[in-house]
């Protein structure tokens, strides 16, 4: 999965400063795809994806986009794995610190939830500041045809 490249075809909707919005028709394979976290539901069967446009694709053109599997794994861990670990660690910390207290389970839950919430806050703030960073975005690899 780390060296694998995921490919999909779509239509360029808009271009702005090297970042392009591509609409991909949702297929039956989407529900099992590891890259769901980078696709954003648009309407019904369409998904929109922000991609790097280094080859100069224009609105209306049919393009092929790709993303490396390792990036999908990293994004999945950042969005799901790390918060889960922090939730469990926070629960353990809360229960340990308040052992013997009548509400130790509640404090454990609150510690876990607080750690997870703090992580998401820091994560999304750091993503905002890295908005111009194109490293983790899919890339347009080919222009298939004009609209």
């Amino acid at each position: 999965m780390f060296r694998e490249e995921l490919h999909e075809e779509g239509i360029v909707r808009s271009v702005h400063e090297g970042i392009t919005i591509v609409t991909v028709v949702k297929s039956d394979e989407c529900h099992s795809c590891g890259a769901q976290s980078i696709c954003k539901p648009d309407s019904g069967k369409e998904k929109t994806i922000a991609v790097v446009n280094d080859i100069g694709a224009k609105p209306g053109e049919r393009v092929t986009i790709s993303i490396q599997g390792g990036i999908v794994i990293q994004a999945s861990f950042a969005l799901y794995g790390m918060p889960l670990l922090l939730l469990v660690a926070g629960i353990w910390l809360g229960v340990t610190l308040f052992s013997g207290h009548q509400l130790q389970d509640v404090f454990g839950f609150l510690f876990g939830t607080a750690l997870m919430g703090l992580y998401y806050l820091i994560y999304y703030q750091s993503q905002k500041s890295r908005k111009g960073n194109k490293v983790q975005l899919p890339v347009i690899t080919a222009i298939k045809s004009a609209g």
Side-chain angles (χ1 to χ4, degrees), residues 1-6 67-74:
M1 178 70 180
F2 288 106
R3 294 194 175 141
E4 177 184 8
E5 270 197 27
L6 306 170
I67 187 167
Q68 292 183 355
I71 292 173
V72 175
I73 297 286
Q74 289 173 352

Side-chain angles (χ1 to χ4, degrees), residues 2-133:
F2 288 106
R3 294 194 175 141
E4 177 184 8
E5 270 197 27
L6 306 170
H7 300 278
E8 192 63 63
E9 286 190 17
I11 298 172
V12 175
R13 293 296 173 209
S14 64
V15 179
H16 183 64
E17 297 178 14
I19 302 296
T20 301
I21 302 299
V22 175
T23 300
V24 177
V25 176
K26 190 174 172 183
S27 69
D28 293 335
E29 297 162 359
C30 284
H31 73 280
S32 64
C33 178
Q36 286 185 62
S37 60
I38 60 169
C39 289
K40 297 181 181 82
D42 192 18
S43 62
K45 290 193 167 258
E46 293 185 342
K47 290 188 156 257
T48 58
I49 304 172
V51 299
V52 176
N53 183 7
D54 289 335
I55 63 173
K58 295 175 180 54
E61 292 181 325
R62 183 176 270 311
V63 296
T64 300
I65 60 173
S66 67
I67 187 167
Q68 292 183 355
I71 292 173
V72 175
I73 297 286
Q74 289 173 352
S76 295
F77 180 75
L79 291 173
Y80 306 113
M82 191 64 172
L84 179 62
L85 291 174
L86 289 171
L87 177 66
V88 171
I91 290 171
W92 176 80
L93 181 65
V95 168
T96 302
L97 288 175
F98 293 95
S99 65
H101 193 280
Q102 186 177 7
L103 297 174
Q104 76 181 28
D105 294 337
V106 173
F107 285 120
F109 171 76
L110 292 175
F111 267 73
T113 305
L115 270 179
M116 189 173 63
L118 183 63
Y119 170 78
Y120 275 124
L121 181 67
I122 292 169
Y123 178 80
Y124 286 115
Q125 290 300 321
S126 71
Q127 291 302 308
K128 274 187 184 176
S129 66
R130 294 176 16 177
K131 200 160 192 144
N133 186 359

